[in-house]
Amino acid sequence: MTKLDLDDIQGNILRGYRMNNVRHMALTFGSARGACSMLGMLVNGDSDSCPQITTAQTWRETPRYCLNLGITAAGLKLLGVSNSIMSCFPKTFLDGPAVNPAALGDDGPSAPENWILGGPQGPVVHAMLSLHTNEEFTPAVDDLSAWLQALCVQNDIEIALQKDGEAFPDDFVHFNFKDNIAQPHVCGAPGKDSPDMQPASSTGEFLLGKNYENQFRGNFIADLPGRLADNSTYGAFRILKQEVFKFEKFIENSGLKYNMDPELVAAKMVGRWRNGTPLVKSPEENVELPQEQLNDFDYCPTKDNPMYFDDADGFRCPIGAHIRRMNPRSSLVMGKPHTRRIIRRNMPYGPAIKSADKPDDIERGLIGYFICGDLEMQFEFLQKIWANLDIATSGIRGTRDPIIGAQPTTGGQFIIRTEDLKDPVIFDDVPRMVVTRGSVYCLIPSIAGLKFLSGLNA
Ligand code: HEM
């Protein structure tokens, strides 16, 4: 197994910090010299002069904060990365998410023209600084942000946008579902594994490096120089507004229309009950399962588990449910099983809704990174092919992902197979539940990569 240099890899790639608060700061560099100087300070090991970037090294005790940095293609150019190196980056990263947005479902209300980050109207974003703290136990966000702001001013950097996220108890998110259950385990990464029928993901799916193989036996570093790209990866940073009122109304109305419990409608749309119990494990009843059983399931028998229940028809979990589209597990969808995995590092933003009885007045949603070694093969593939097209497998014709799909303005379809006379139930009025409010693509460089960049204009 590949031995990973944990001191060189940014911590947010390989671990969920389990801290309650995050402050994301979008940075616009004023000059290459100032930006390089700031990058250098963030990794110089002197935590008295500047908060330091958190690595993937294991902790003995929880630190007061965790800090991470992603840099956009515009940021790398401004720092002084040569044209010959820039040309080795994948086109998807160089273009960013606003160049071909409709394919990703970012049209209509989700179009870049309406974004608060990364769109044509907004400021140019060169980097994203993400500060994680635990305000309940060790409040630090105000002190540390003030410190970082002062360092930014000193180094001719503007904080163009600042947005906070806050974890809700037990990892629940807006729409009131438990989240953060299914994350890939990366080969060589430290940490205890919860039981999971899926194999660990190859290192090269999540880290760049000549020695890291991806799921297709290649590696995503291509011709990028190791001193910049080894142990780095990519992150799609997204601000996703959730229409909580629309969601609650939809499950209630559909329940009435099709004589179904609204909670079952909600579970069918996601593929899990709101408490996280997967539908394949408990298709009819909302039972509470221990945490360690929540990710130990599959949709069909495999070589290792030939006697496993076969839900090929989607009677238990609809083929088009959010989690089944986003990770079909061992189902042979478009070729290989267990491919196109992504690491999700998101938190809710905006207050929890008090009553879902009236239309959403305050914006709320999910904010953070979708991390992967190749934005086109992983993040964009999920958005384009699995969420917003209907060709990946049979049983989803005419439908889009019921949670994140860019539904037609007249309403989209969602199909539930039922094993009774009602089979199939077809909802034809699914509204767009999630609206994109901002997005940028970042390289999440290694510590050595950040030192290399800081030396470009020393
Ligand atoms: C506001 C938007 C979103 C909401 C409310 C949402 C909600 C959820 C929930 C409740 C789960 C189940 C918990 C779990 O399995 O850990 C889940 C899983 C997942 N979601 Fe989302 N999600 C959103 C956006 C996205 C996007 C944009 C993507 C990718 C493009 C995505 C990919 C996934 C994946 C890969 C899983 C894990 C599936 C598995 O491994 O079984 N989600 N999401």
Side-chain angles (χ1 to χ4, degrees):
M1 191 201 297
T2 325
K3 182 144 174 23
L4 300 181
D5 181 355
L6 300 178
D7 289 316
D8 193 39
I9 300 167
Q10 289 206 47
N12 58 341
I13 304 170
L14 296 184
R15 70 197 312 172
Y17 294 135
R18 303 223 150 263
M19 288 190 163
N20 288 347
N21 303 83
V22 69
R23 173 160 291 171
H24 296 288
M25 291 167 256
L27 309 183
T28 305
F29 301 151
S31 67
R33 182 176 277 273
C36 287
S37 144
M38 178 87 182
L39 292 198
M41 290 173 84
L42 288 165
V43 288
N44 67 6
D46 178 4
S47 54
D48 291 334
S49 68
C50 176
Q52 296 293 295
I53 296 293
T54 305
T55 71
Q57 191 52 266
T58 44
W59 305 327
R60 284 213 190 81
E61 57 187 82
T62 310
R64 190 166 160 245
Y65 68 88
C66 293
L67 185 66
N68 294 104
L69 184 83
I71 309 182
T72 64
L76 293 174
K77 264 189 235 157
L78 193 139
L79 287 166
V81 175
S82 66
N83 287 343
S84 61
I85 296 183
M86 287 309 295
S87 68
C88 300
F89 280 104
K91 187 172 180 317
T92 317
F93 169 66
L94 295 175
D95 283 351
V99 164
N100 190 10
L104 299 174
D106 287 337
D107 53 8
S110 291
E113 292 73 50
N114 304 320
W115 291 359
I116 54 167
L117 177 90
Q121 262 89 287
V124 178
V125 179
H126 291 129
M128 295 297 307
L129 199 52
S130 303
L131 172 66
H132 297 78
T133 59
N134 208 329
E135 291 307 293
E136 198 184 340
F137 302 110
T138 40
V141 74
D142 289 335
D143 295 356
L144 290 166
S145 329
W147 191 3
L148 287 164
Q149 271 157 20
L151 291 169
C152 283
V153 170
Q154 252 175 46
N155 289 296
D156 196 13
I157 296 172
E158 191 193 333
I159 300 182
L161 182 88
Q162 181 168 295
K163 210 142 171 61
D164 292 353
E166 186 178 354
F168 296 158
D170 292 327
D171 281 330
F172 276 69
V173 292
H174 298 296
F175 295 164
N176 207 14
F177 276 86
K178 187 176 173 65
D179 198 359
N180 202 16
I181 304 164
Q183 297 279 13
H185 181 75
V186 182
C187 263
K192 271 191 277 149
D193 271 345
S194 304
D196 184 348
M197 287 177 68
Q198 305 169 93
S201 299
S202 51
T203 314
E205 275 171 73
F206 293 104
L207 285 172
L208 306 184
K210 286 271 182 276
N211 299 325
Y212 300 151
E213 217 174 56
N214 63 28
Q215 67 265 49
F216 302 105
R217 297 254 161 99
N219 60 57
F220 290 134
I221 193 168
D223 293 325
L224 283 166
R227 61 191 189 283
L228 167 63
D230 272 344
N231 287 329
S232 304
T233 194
Y234 297 98
F237 186 86
R238 308 280 280 174
I239 305 175
L240 301 171
K241 176 184 170 196
Q242 291 177 248
E243 306 273 12
V244 179
F245 175 75
K246 266 194 203 159
F247 178 79
E248 294 297 335
K249 266 280 158 274
F250 178 77
I251 59 168
E252 195 185 307
N253 291 344
S254 305
L256 284 173
K257 203 158 147 191
Y258 299 99
N259 195 21
M260 288 174 74
D261 176 0
E263 286 306 302
L264 183 60
V265 176
K268 292 279 185 187
M269 289 167 76
V270 167
R272 294 183 184 273
W273 296 91
R274 296 213 219 209
N275 61 10
T277 296
L279 276 179
V280 279
K281 287 199 157 191
S282 181
E284 272 145 38
E285 230 184 308
N286 184 2
V287 295
E288 195 80 40
L289 293 181
Q291 176 77 27
E292 62 275 13
Q293 289 183 26
L294 295 181
N295 200 31
D296 198 20
F297 68 91
D298 209 329
Y299 299 110
C300 60
T302 59
K303 201 157 49 78
D304 295 336
N305 289 286
M307 304 311 286
Y308 195 76
F309 179 82
D310 192 349
D311 193 34
D313 292 318
F315 287 130
R316 289 189 176 193
C317 176
I319 316 272
H322 176 63
I323 65 162
R324 195 163 174 172
R325 276 183 178 256
M326 293 295 98
N327 180 11
R329 302 196 175 216
S330 66
S331 304
L332 280 178
V333 181
M334 301 200 79
K336 287 159 78 81
H338 305 299
T339 56
R340 323 271 177 181
R341 308 251 1 236
I342 49 172
I343 293 170
R344 295 169 295 133
R345 300 282 182 238
N346 300 288
M347 263 193 220
Y349 73 89
I353 199 156
K354 292 213 176 63
S355 147
D357 292 349
K358 60 179 174 61
D360 300 342
D361 42 0
I362 302 173
E363 185 174 322
R364 45 175 65 80
L366 203 61
I367 187 166
Y369 279 112
F370 294 88
I371 293 176
C372 52
D374 190 278
L375 288 160
E376 187 177 10
M377 303 265 271
Q378 291 161 273
F379 173 73
E380 286 208 344
F381 190 92
L382 265 59
Q383 281 281 151
K384 285 184 190 168
I385 314 288
W386 283 352
N388 286 308
L389 286 181
D390 60 359
I391 52 167
T393 184
S394 58
I396 55 167
R397 212 20 125 195
T399 70
R400 296 179 180 210
D401 185 304
I403 300 296
I404 60 168
Q407 308 296 350
T409 40
T410 46
Q413 283 199 350
F414 179 60
I415 302 169
I416 299 180
R417 305 286 314 271
T418 60
E419 267 186 309
D420 63 15
L421 292 176
K422 288 194 280 183
D423 182 50
V425 176
I426 302 178
F427 300 157
D428 55 10
D429 51 356
V430 186
R432 192 190 284 250
M433 307 286 183
V434 170
V435 175
T436 308
R437 297 287 288 131
S439 184
V440 286
Y441 288 165
C442 292
L443 178 75
I444 305 178
S446 63
I447 304 303
L450 286 168
K451 288 183 178 162
F452 165 77
L453 290 169
S454 75
L456 292 176
N457 263 284

